[in-house]
Amino acid sequence: MIEYYDVSGCYILRPWSFFIWQQIHRWLDGKIQELGVQNAYFPCFVSQEALRAEEEHVEGFAPEVAWVTKSGTSELTKPIAIRPTSETIMYPSFAKWIRSHRDLPLQLNQWTNVVRWEFKQPTPFLRTREFLWQEGHTAHSTEEEAAHLVRSALDLYSCVYTDLLALPVIKGVKSLEEKFAGSVYTETLEAFIPATGRGIQAATSHYLGQNFAKMFGIRFEDDSGQKQLVHQTCWGFTTRCIGIMIMVHGDDRGLVLPPRVAPTQVVLIPIPGKEHAGIEARCRELASALKDRGIRAEVDARQTYTPGWKFNWWEMKGVPLRVEVGPKDMAQGTCRLARRFDGLKKDVDQAQLSSCIPAELDQIHEAMLEKATRHRDDGIATVTRWDEVMPMLNQRKLILAPWCESAESEAEIRSRTKEEAPKPGLSSDAAETATILTGAMKSLCIPLMQPLMPPGTKCFVTGEPAKRWALFGRSY
Amino acid sequence: MIEYYDVSGCYILRPWSFFIWQQIHRWLDGKIQELGVQNAYFPCFVSQEALRAEEEHVEGFAPEVAWVTKSGTSELTKPIAIRPTSETIMYPSFAKWIRSHRDLPLQLNQWTNVVRWEFKQPTPFLRTREFLWQEGHTAHSTEEEAAHLVRSALDLYSCVYTDLLALPVIKGVKSLEEKFAGSVYTETLEAFIPATGRGIQAATSHYLGQNFAKMFGIRFEDDSGQKQLVHQTCWGFTTRCIGIMIMVHGDDRGLVLPPRVAPTQVVLIPIPGKEHAGIEARCRELASALKDRGIRAEVDARQTYTPGWKFNWWEMKGVPLRVEVGPKDMAQGTCRLARRFDGLKKDVDQAQLSSCIPAELDQIHEAMLEKATRHRDDGIATVTRWDEVMPMLNQRKLILAPWCESAESEAEIRSRTKEEAPKPGLSSDAAETATILTGAMKSLCIPLMQPLMPPGTKCFVTGEPAKRWALFGRSY
């Protein structure tokens, strides 16, 4: 999937992982266009002045901004930043382009690399100093229209997870502490990693209100000739999703790829026998019939490896379906299917192979999503009192609890869970605990789907009246 | 097409121009995959050590490299360069990945931004400090196979120009002075801008030989167990092509877009009459029928502008075909077609519109290519003696001449044409001359298609025996 690189925090996306990003790109880009959003490309550089125009926003990024100060051997007169995100790059142009209500909505998107020079431990896909993403930026005449677009983008992102990556996500709103700096509110998708019991932010969509419009002077003349500030949104989807996919679906034998994004969906492996040449030719015929149906099929006819070695190799690479053709299969006109994700095997007539595979891949997708959803649901503990929190957290669960949503309680949650976390070397299974069950719990989101809350329900932290159910957890 | 930006040398690609790049991207990417090349993504950063590993190569880029030296407010321990091109980023991994002849060919491609901090006058699309491109990099076991790929990439690039952009290009080989630093030879496409009489490099494809393989230790074990150095190629296609398209096809009224890349291929303009509402509805029906055939059609039903204003607006934007529907047309069941590129008008039955438009767009494409080819052919003067050079150059022509190909003669050509160029204020039409007819002539390429050269032909500069015909000109 990746190769390490000699600049810390940067990784190479090899064809196997880049293909997955391309599949997502192609699908999501089409859906974004259907929203009436157009693609464009803005420079990767931003001047100091523009970057600093929106203070609250820049504060969130300032420590992570990479600065270009030299070209060749000469010093630049002013340092120039590399985009960590493009609000301050795009919005001065928005101010130029928008004059009248007829220029609205202005809806642009770009697919780019961005740079955030983080100093936390880098992790492939999850925390990298350069990553690839799509960022949408829109301006509207009304808050309602903008809010609708914020949600539409979130819904698309959710479909990428469920329909392409076979991953369940929880839609929600970020707390004020956790929202994007400069936004009025941030909608989010949160995923769950069963192996570590941690939540992970999967994508976000922001309503910016008129915050940036004020700073950059983005005004339009309404129907009645009045100057008004626009209402803005921005929303982004990154290569992080590939990391989430790997962590949720992967197993001890390696990757498990969901069929719709797998570079190779079906690998055909000839099992040599006396009729060896005939078997390989038959595999190629079968593969060709599959390709005609739009299935990404491949024959592994390498002479230098045994079938067993090849089984392991393709399992490690996560290919959803293996088709074996041996001498016995040839005699019977059948072949053997083996599913990567659950090991299920069955024999199928060769003549029926190409017609049954599309449904088989869909079934694998559904089964993977179902399994991941079950694990996710099992990973959420509903809690109403603080003393239930740490035991659940240490059983690698997320916490769904009634919350008052105050900033103080959010700080309180972090500090208490940090203090109460098991200390390495003191707990019963120290080694594992030390690596996994550390770190403070924080709010992940306030889910859009709220269980009924009985009247008089108290906040699980402060005992004050609870506003809504919120999801908490250790996170990435 | 573009918007200016507050970082010098950087421009914003607005949706109208970015769409053209997307069309090229989509077509070219498909063709690149058909060559067996896979897409990947390598980091945009390169360490000082890696960048300096291939000296001859880096020398060509060193003055233009942008260096990141700070993150937030902290100095980096070592400066890190932003990719001007990715040889030194990719090839250390090639050395890791290639072990045996079974790992070859290794053929990778990526679509990225690159940064070259030039200090010459920036020009949108043609000379920008950041630009978008595709870069292919391959490694092969034999020179023949590598050379074949160099040519295959060049052929694809040529097709982008002729089949998508309706532009003629000349395939050739660069002189040793003009080739890519670090390559053994560079194949090139050269285009011609009639308005200025200058040549412009349109795309290049390089045979790197074993130069980089030696520096980065990229070796494979051949059939007989011997370690061999790989033979490499690299080739790139950039957003510059959009600039060439604008300059060649554009006219006094603005852009003229070739149909296959135009974001809007057909604009339908209702001409209001007594039956106004019916006309607009009819335009929408016609547009919808066109869209069903895959034509990018749009109705301009804006009430605030007159038809005349709209005609100018869409002409300026370069839309290939305008369809007018007025009251008279409605009565007769016809509509009027107007071609942007040559102003040709004709009436067509509304019922036949959607079936005749695809052929009409193809005819426009062919006619644009034919016209540009005629102008290009007229713009090349075949010259055998030095005294013919300056007059032809000052008539805005390129020079095709028999050449000895020596490095000394190349230098001689530059210095002589610089000296002999008309001086601003001294020539007869000084103003124009000063802006256009300046700059030295250099070799553009040695065309792959060579006219027969009579035995004993002398070099037009040195009088030594000529090797081949070469194309020279002022250039961008």
Side-chain angles (χ1 to χ4, degrees):
Chain A
M1 298 285 275
I2 62 126
E3 176 65 75
Y4 290 85
Y5 188 64
D6 76 341
V7 174
S8 169
C10 294
Y11 304 90
I12 295 159
L13 298 182
R14 299 185 68 170
W16 200 253
S17 59
F18 192 76
F19 183 92
I20 297 169
W21 183 241
Q22 279 184 301
Q23 288 291 103
I24 292 167
H25 180 145
R26 195 166 302 158
W27 186 91
L28 185 55
D29 194 56
K31 295 291 179 187
I32 288 171
Q33 310 300 312
E34 284 174 22
L35 294 179
V37 178
Q38 291 185 300
N39 284 344
Y41 187 78
F42 288 74
C44 69
F45 294 116
V46 52
S47 67
Q48 230 167 1
E49 296 74 21
L51 188 64
R52 288 182 181 161
E54 216 293 327
E55 280 185 37
E56 192 181 352
H57 166 69
V58 79
E59 206 178 292
F61 289 105
E64 298 175 4
V65 169
W67 293 95
V68 176
T69 63
K70 273 172 60 180
S71 72
T73 53
S74 359
E75 296 285 323
L76 300 186
T77 46
K78 285 181 184 177
I80 291 171
I82 306 177
R83 64 180 158 222
T85 175
S86 301
E87 286 75 10
T88 55
I89 294 173
M90 292 185 171
Y91 298 166
S93 288
F94 276 42
K96 281 193 213 172
W97 297 336
I98 296 169
R99 289 276 165 269
S100 138
H101 61 94
R102 287 188 296 270
D103 301 322
L104 296 175
L106 177 62
Q107 306 187 123
L108 296 180
N109 176 59
Q110 63 179 11
W111 293 87
T112 72
N113 58 339
V114 279
V115 172
R116 299 182 187 171
W117 210 263
E118 298 205 49
F119 284 91
K120 289 188 210 160
Q121 179 67 31
T123 315
F125 298 113
L126 302 190
R127 186 176 295 116
T128 59
R129 285 178 171 173
E130 181 193 9
F131 59 85
L132 301 181
W133 79 348
Q134 151 280 319
E135 53 177 324
H137 295 264
T138 70
H140 306 265
S141 53
T142 67
E143 177 172 349
E144 291 66 34
E145 195 182 290
H148 185 261
L149 198 82
V150 169
R151 182 62 55 84
S152 300
L154 195 77
D155 288 344
L156 288 185
Y157 295 161
S158 171
C159 284
V160 173
Y161 278 100
T162 55
D163 298 358
L164 297 185
L165 300 176
L167 289 174
V169 282
I170 294 168
K171 292 181 194 176
V173 186
K174 285 285 185 190
S175 69
L176 290 179
E177 295 299 298
E178 293 290 333
K179 79 174 174 65
F180 175 61
S183 79
V184 172
Y185 65 80
T186 290
E187 295 190 345
T188 182
L189 301 180
E190 300 289 326
F192 174 65
I193 310 297
T196 58
R198 286 175 189 263
I200 184 162
Q201 180 178 303
T204 48
S205 183
H206 313 284
Y207 175 58
L208 304 177
Q210 299 177 315
N211 292 346
F212 286 90
K214 271 176 218 150
M215 299 312 304
F216 290 98
I218 314 176
R219 291 188 177 80
F220 68 101
E221 208 174 87
D222 66 15
D223 274 342
S224 59
Q226 296 292 307
K227 286 275 180 192
Q228 304 273 4
L229 291 165
V230 299
H231 300 262
Q232 289 180 271
T233 83
C234 69
W235 25 281
F237 195 89
T238 82
T239 36
R240 163 176 269 209
C241 65
I242 301 173
I244 301 176
M245 181 203 77
I246 293 170
M247 288 194 295
V248 173
H249 293 311
D251 63 22
D252 295 343
R253 286 175 300 145
L255 288 176
V256 182
L257 297 181
R260 290 176 196 158
V261 296
T264 299
Q265 297 173 305
V266 180
V267 61
L268 296 102
I269 300 182
I271 318 282
K274 284 173 193 162
E275 303 170 74
H276 176 263
I279 292 178
E280 190 182 317
R282 187 72 188 122
C283 283
R284 293 202 189 281
E285 282 170 24
L286 293 170
S288 158
L290 287 169
K291 284 179 194 163
D292 288 346
R293 290 194 174 240
I295 305 293
R296 297 185 289 277
E298 195 174 327
V299 179
D300 185 352
R302 290 177 286 178
Q303 303 290 339
T304 38
Y305 300 106
T306 66
W309 189 95
K310 290 179 188 174
F311 291 3
N312 286 334
W313 162 265
W314 291 105
E315 281 177 0
M316 189 189 68
K317 289 180 74 94
V319 168
L321 261 182
R322 180 177 75 224
V323 175
E324 309 162 17
V325 184
K328 225 180 254 173
D329 301 301
M330 286 298 278
Q332 296 167 355
T334 59
C335 55
R336 168 152 290 195
L337 263 57
R339 313 210 302 194
R340 169 66 179 91
F341 121 90
D342 59 2
L344 213 72
K345 291 192 178 66
K346 66 175 169 188
D347 290 331
V348 170
D349 278 352
Q350 290 178 13
Q352 253 102 66
L353 185 71
S354 71
S355 60
C356 81
I357 291 270
E360 188 66 38
L361 293 174
D362 279 341
Q363 279 164 26
I364 293 172
H365 177 92
E366 293 306 327
M368 286 179 73
L369 177 58
E370 196 271 326
K371 181 183 168 192
T373 305
R374 206 168 58 240
H375 285 174
R376 194 271 318 267
D377 292 345
D378 290 347
I380 299 177
T382 302
V383 154
T384 53
R385 299 196 327 261
W386 182 263
D387 59 11
E388 300 167 315
V389 168
M390 289 312 298
M392 284 299 149
L393 216 50
N394 291 335
Q395 285 172 47
R396 304 183 192 181
K397 290 190 189 300
L398 303 182
I399 306 290
L400 184 68
W403 188 32
C404 68
E405 300 181 25
S406 70
E408 299 73 33
S409 70
E410 176 119 42
E412 176 87 13
I413 289 165
R414 281 171 183 264
S415 70
R416 277 210 224 167
T417 50
K418 210 167 179 181
E419 280 167 25
E420 296 175 23
K423 300 289 176 292
L426 298 176
S427 71
S428 53
D429 54 339
E432 194 184 47
T433 302
T435 53
I436 295 176
L437 299 175
T438 57
M441 175 174 99
K442 62 176 197 176
S443 75
L444 302 173
C445 72
I446 297 150
L448 298 187
M449 291 296 288
Q450 287 277 318
L452 263 182
M453 187 180 280
T457 302
K458 305 280 188 241
C459 171
F460 77 125
V461 196
T462 61
E464 297 294 311
K467 279 192 184 163
R468 290 178 287 188
W469 292 94
L471 191 67
F472 299 87
R474 295 190 175 113
S475 72
Y476 282 87
Chain B
M1 299 286 274
I2 63 125
E3 176 66 76
Y4 289 85
Y5 188 64
D6 76 341
V7 174
S8 168
C10 294
Y11 304 89
I12 295 160
L13 299 182
R14 298 185 69 169
W16 199 253
S17 59
F18 192 75
F19 183 92
I20 296 168
W21 183 240
Q22 280 184 302
Q23 288 290 103
I24 292 167
H25 180 145
R26 197 166 301 158
W27 186 91
L28 185 54
D29 193 56
K31 295 292 179 187
I32 288 172
Q33 308 302 311
E34 284 174 22
L35 294 179
V37 177
Q38 291 185 299
N39 285 342
Y41 186 77
F42 287 75
C44 69
F45 294 117
V46 52
S47 66
Q48 232 167 359
E49 296 75 20
L51 189 63
R52 289 182 181 161
E54 217 292 326
E55 279 184 38
E56 191 182 352
H57 166 67
V58 79
E59 206 178 290
F61 290 106
E64 298 176 3
V65 169
W67 292 96
V68 176
T69 63
K70 275 172 59 180
S71 71
T73 52
S74 359
E75 297 284 325
L76 300 186
T77 46
K78 284 180 186 177
I80 291 170
I82 307 176
R83 62 178 160 224
T85 174
S86 300
E87 285 75 9
T88 55
I89 295 173
M90 292 184 171
Y91 298 166
S93 288
F94 276 42
K96 279 193 213 171
W97 297 335
I98 296 169
R99 290 276 165 270
S100 138
H101 61 94
R102 287 188 296 270
D103 301 322
L104 296 175
L106 177 62
Q107 305 186 124
L108 296 179
N109 176 60
Q110 62 179 11
W111 293 87
T112 72
N113 58 341
V114 278
V115 172
R116 298 181 187 173
W117 211 261
E118 297 205 48
F119 284 91
K120 290 189 210 158
Q121 179 67 30
T123 314
F125 298 114
L126 301 191
R127 187 177 293 118
T128 59
R129 286 180 170 172
E130 182 194 10
F131 59 86
L132 301 181
W133 77 348
Q134 152 279 318
E135 52 178 326
H137 296 264
T138 69
H140 306 264
S141 54
T142 67
E143 176 173 348
E144 291 66 35
E145 196 183 289
H148 185 260
L149 199 82
V150 169
R151 181 62 56 85
S152 300
L154 195 78
D155 288 343
L156 288 184
Y157 295 161
S158 172
C159 285
V160 173
Y161 278 101
T162 55
D163 298 358
L164 298 184
L165 300 176
L167 289 174
V169 282
I170 294 168
K171 292 180 194 176
V173 185
K174 285 285 186 191
S175 70
L176 290 177
E177 295 300 298
E178 293 290 332
K179 78 175 175 66
F180 174 60
S183 79
V184 173
Y185 64 81
T186 290
E187 295 191 345
T188 182
L189 300 180
E190 301 289 325
F192 173 65
I193 311 297
T196 58
R198 286 175 189 262
I200 183 162
Q201 180 178 301
T204 47
S205 183
H206 314 284
Y207 174 59
L208 304 178
Q210 299 178 314
N211 293 347
F212 286 89
K214 272 175 217 150
M215 299 312 303
F216 291 98
I218 315 176
R219 290 189 178 81
F220 68 102
E221 208 175 88
D222 68 14
D223 272 343
S224 59
Q226 296 292 308
K227 287 274 181 192
Q228 303 273 4
L229 291 166
V230 299
H231 300 262
Q232 290 181 269
T233 83
C234 70
W235 25 281
F237 195 87
T238 83
T239 38
R240 163 176 270 208
C241 64
I242 301 173
I244 301 176
M245 182 203 76
I246 293 169
M247 288 194 295
V248 173
H249 293 310
D251 62 22
D252 294 344
R253 286 175 299 146
L255 288 175
V256 182
L257 297 181
R260 292 179 194 155
V261 297
T264 300
Q265 296 172 306
V266 179
V267 61
L268 295 102
I269 300 182
I271 318 282
K274 285 175 190 161
E275 302 170 75
H276 177 262
I279 292 177
E280 189 182 321
R282 187 71 187 122
C283 282
R284 293 201 190 282
E285 283 168 22
L286 292 171
S288 157
L290 288 170
K291 283 179 193 163
D292 288 346
R293 290 193 175 240
I295 305 292
R296 296 184 292 275
E298 195 175 329
V299 179
D300 185 351
R302 290 177 287 178
Q303 304 290 340
T304 37
Y305 300 105
T306 66
W309 188 94
K310 291 178 188 176
F311 290 3
N312 286 335
W313 162 265
W314 291 104
E315 281 177 359
M316 190 189 67
K317 288 179 74 92
V319 168
L321 261 183
R322 180 175 76 223
V323 175
E324 309 163 15
V325 185
K328 223 181 255 174
D329 302 300
M330 285 299 277
Q332 296 167 353
T334 59
C335 54
R336 168 153 290 196
L337 263 56
R339 312 210 303 194
R340 169 65 179 92
F341 120 90
D342 58 2
L344 213 73
K345 292 191 177 67
K346 66 175 169 188
D347 290 332
V348 170
D349 279 351
Q350 290 178 12
Q352 253 100 66
L353 186 71
S354 70
S355 60
C356 81
I357 291 271
E360 188 67 35
L361 292 174
D362 279 341
Q363 279 163 26
I364 293 172
H365 176 92
E366 294 306 327
M368 287 178 73
L369 177 58
E370 195 271 326
K371 181 182 168 193
T373 305
R374 206 170 55 241
H375 286 174
R376 194 272 316 267
D377 292 345
D378 290 348
I380 300 177
T382 301
V383 153
T384 53
R385 298 195 330 260
W386 183 263
D387 60 10
E388 301 167 315
V389 169
M390 289 312 299
M392 284 299 148
L393 215 52
N394 291 335
Q395 286 173 46
R396 302 184 194 181
K397 290 189 189 300
L398 303 182
I399 306 291
L400 184 68
W403 189 32
C404 68
E405 302 181 25
S406 71
E408 298 72 36
S409 69
E410 176 118 43
E412 176 87 13
I413 288 166
R414 281 172 184 262
S415 69
R416 277 210 223 167
T417 49
K418 211 167 177 179
E419 278 167 25
E420 295 175 24
K423 299 289 175 294
L426 297 177
S427 72
S428 52
D429 55 339
E432 194 183 47
T433 302
T435 54
I436 295 177
L437 300 176
T438 56
M441 174 173 102
K442 62 176 196 175
S443 76
L444 303 172
C445 72
I446 297 150
L448 297 188
M449 293 295 291
Q450 287 277 318
L452 264 182
M453 187 178 280
T457 302
K458 304 280 187 237
C459 171
F460 78 125
V461 196
T462 61
E464 298 292 311
K467 278 193 185 165
R468 290 178 288 189
W469 292 93
L471 192 67
F472 300 86
R474 294 190 175 113
S475 72
Y476 283 87

